[in-house]
Amino acid sequence: MSGHRRLAMNVKQMAILAALAATTIVVPVLPAEAARAVVTGNVDVRSGPGPQHRVVGRLRAGERVDVTRCASSRRWCHVQSRRTRDGWVNSRFLDRVRGGPKRTGGICFFGARGQICLGR
């Protein structure tokens, strides 16, 4: 194969690769950020932030959960648990894990003992 043909094939292959790369959507995978909290009483886990949403699970007092976000009212928080489906709980049933860091940033809500901010 001549050098000219080899160069033409390499250019063609590079053009194909460039076209494929341009049409590929790259979605970055970011680690899930959550803050640890403890459940202070038995509470229903709901499909949305409010009592009008259906119950999808139940948490017991003393369980630890990951709080992923809270509604703008700071009265409902989305939690992840190892034992039940992810969903929303009334934030007054959440508290900082005893001995956990007391931070001013992260996720804030009205918890069992007033306003609570958990670090991410």
Side-chain angles (χ1 to χ4, degrees):
M1 182 180 278
S2 73
H4 184 345
R5 273 192 168 163
R6 205 170 333 151
L7 180 61
M9 279 184 62
N10 285 342
V11 170
K12 185 177 178 181
Q13 288 171 341
M14 289 181 70
I16 291 171
L17 288 174
L20 286 172
T23 60
T24 303
I25 298 173
V26 177
V27 179
V29 177
L30 301 175
E33 291 188 20
R36 285 303 263 173
V38 64
V39 178
T40 61
N42 297 338
V43 62
D44 289 332
V45 179
R46 298 190 174 270
S47 62
Q52 71 276 17
H53 295 278
R54 69 182 166 80
V55 175
V56 297
R58 188 154 179 83
L59 294 169
R60 290 179 273 204
E63 285 189 62
R64 291 183 183 207
V65 295
D66 290 324
V67 180
T68 58
R69 64 187 180 278
C70 294
S72 59
S73 68
R74 296 184 178 188
R75 301 281 181 199
W76 289 87
C77 294
H78 186 269
V79 298
Q80 295 175 334
S81 165
R82 292 179 188 219
R83 198 179 60 74
T84 189
R85 277 186 62 188
D86 298 353
W88 295 83
V89 297
N90 188 307
S91 63
R92 74 171 180 245
F93 292 97
L94 298 173
D95 198 1
R96 142 181 317 109
V97 174
R98 187 171 296 228
K102 294 183 179 183
R103 297 191 182 162
T104 57
I107 298 172
C108 297
F109 56 88
F110 296 108
R113 294 180 290 149
Q115 174 141 336
I116 296 171
C117 291
L118 304 173
R120 289 184 178 220

